[in-house]
Each structure stands twice: as C-alpha cells, then as structure tokens.
Amino acid sequence: MQPDESPLLTATRRLERATALDEAVDRVQPVVLKALRTSPRLAALLHGRPLGHAAHPLLTDAPIGFWASATVLDLTPGGGDGRRRAADRLLGLGILSAVPAAVTGLADWAVSDRRTLRVGTVHGFLNNVALGLYGTSWLLRRRGRRGLGVAVALGAGGVLGASGYLGGHMASRLGSPPTSASGPAEPEGREGTAADATA
C-alpha cells in the first residue's frame, strides 16, 4: 500500500489480482465475445462507435438518476399520494433503463484486460444485486408494504454506491473501456487537454 493510498483503493487493487475470479471470467467472456463477433454492427452500437466514445458511462446516468430521485422523494416528508406515486414511477423507470446500461457494460467488459475483467465481474455482480433489490422494492410497494420497500431501496442504493466506486476505478485507473472498441484511439501528444494547460 502506498502511503497516500486509501483503504478502498487498496482493496480494489486486490480485486485486480484476485485469480479466484478468473473461473467466472473464463466462463462468461467467451460467450459474450462470440455474440459480439456474430453481429459486428450490434457490437459497434453497444461499444458506442456512433457516439465516438463508450456508450455505457452515458447510459448509467439514467438508472442512477431515476433511483436517486426516487430516494429523495421517499425521504422527503409530505406530498401525499402524488409524491409516493412519483417515487414508485421513478423506481420503475430506473429498473427499465438499467437494461441497456447493463448490456453495454457487458460488451465493454468482454473486450477489457484481465485486471478489468476481474474488477468488472464484481462490479456487474453488485449491479445485479442492486437491480434485484430495487425490483423487490418496487414489488413491495405494489403490495402495500411501502415502509419495507423504501428500506430495501435504501439498501440497494448502498450496493449501487459500492458498484459505482468500482466502475470509477475501472474508468479512471484501468482505462476501461478500451478506446479501440468505440473508435480510433486519440493520437498521442494531442494538444488542448487539461493536462497540457497545467503542464
């Protein structure tokens, strides 16, 4: 551990080296790669080539935004049935919008390096747990058990936060997803970046 390294970063670096995750990686990655190679146009769309950069980070904003907004309404006093209905609707929209975010994330994961594959496996697992909890929360609300539904959604938010940390680590520390998947890599020495301005 570096002197200035946070415990969270240290724990995440351990995931990068966790060979115990390789069995799951080696089972799933070839299946996803085969599907991507079968349909190059779909693969290009999932990787974000029409955008010029990865689609997954952009698409994750939708479910996170919906779920965060639902939580704000859940925890805001007053508002009556209208506020509760709005929170439930936002929760459901988050569940629906999580599907394209997950599919694009899986596509990017499959073309990543081994360290990213390991961290991404845990990231994806946590996302699925969070999605399952949000789905459970939605069902509980529909069945009249609102208090428990709100509590489950709060737990889901905690899981989502942990997963988001891993997603940030993959993007900022591991350079995932690879730029070659979504289009030509940026030329080295490109001028006009923030790093150039502060050098």
Side-chain angles (χ1 to χ4, degrees):
M1 176 174 167
Q2 299 294 328
D4 60 342
E5 190 168 282
S6 74
L8 279 174
L9 182 56
T10 300
T12 306
R13 290 198 190 284
R14 288 197 192 102
L15 285 181
E16 295 177 20
R17 302 187 298 271
T19 57
L21 295 167
D22 288 346
E23 183 179 351
V25 168
D26 293 337
R27 258 201 318 262
V28 178
Q29 186 193 25
V31 177
V32 180
L33 287 175
K34 182 179 179 182
L36 292 173
R37 288 169 184 153
T38 300
S39 182
R41 286 186 180 180
L42 177 60
L45 182 64
L46 293 176
H47 289 308
R49 279 186 180 266
L51 300 175
H53 61 76
H56 176 66
L58 174 66
L59 292 176
T60 61
D61 288 350
I64 292 171
F66 284 132
W67 289 331
S69 299
T71 298
V72 170
L73 292 179
D74 281 337
L75 299 180
T76 301
D81 289 341
R83 176 181 55 78
R84 288 190 286 271
R85 281 195 302 271
D88 296 351
R89 190 170 295 120
L90 287 165
L91 189 70
L93 289 170
I95 293 167
L96 293 175
S97 63
V99 175
V103 173
T104 54
L106 186 63
D108 287 343
W109 171 84
V111 297
S112 297
D113 64 27
R114 180 61 58 166
R115 290 187 305 156
T116 305
L117 287 167
R118 290 169 180 158
V119 177
T121 297
V122 180
H123 172 69
F125 172 77
L126 291 176
N127 280 340
N128 284 328
V129 170
L131 180 58
L133 289 172
Y134 279 121
T136 300
S137 173
W138 188 83
L139 289 173
L140 286 168
R141 294 162 193 247
R142 299 279 290 180
R143 294 172 183 174
R145 303 183 68 186
R146 178 160 207 91
L148 181 57
V150 169
V152 170
L154 291 175
V159 175
L160 192 68
S163 175
Y165 178 85
L166 296 181
H169 179 82
M170 289 187 291
S172 64
R173 294 282 183 169
L174 300 178
S176 174
T179 55
S180 58
S182 56
E186 287 293 328
E188 289 190 23
R190 183 173 60 90
E191 296 180 2
T193 65
D196 295 332
T198 58

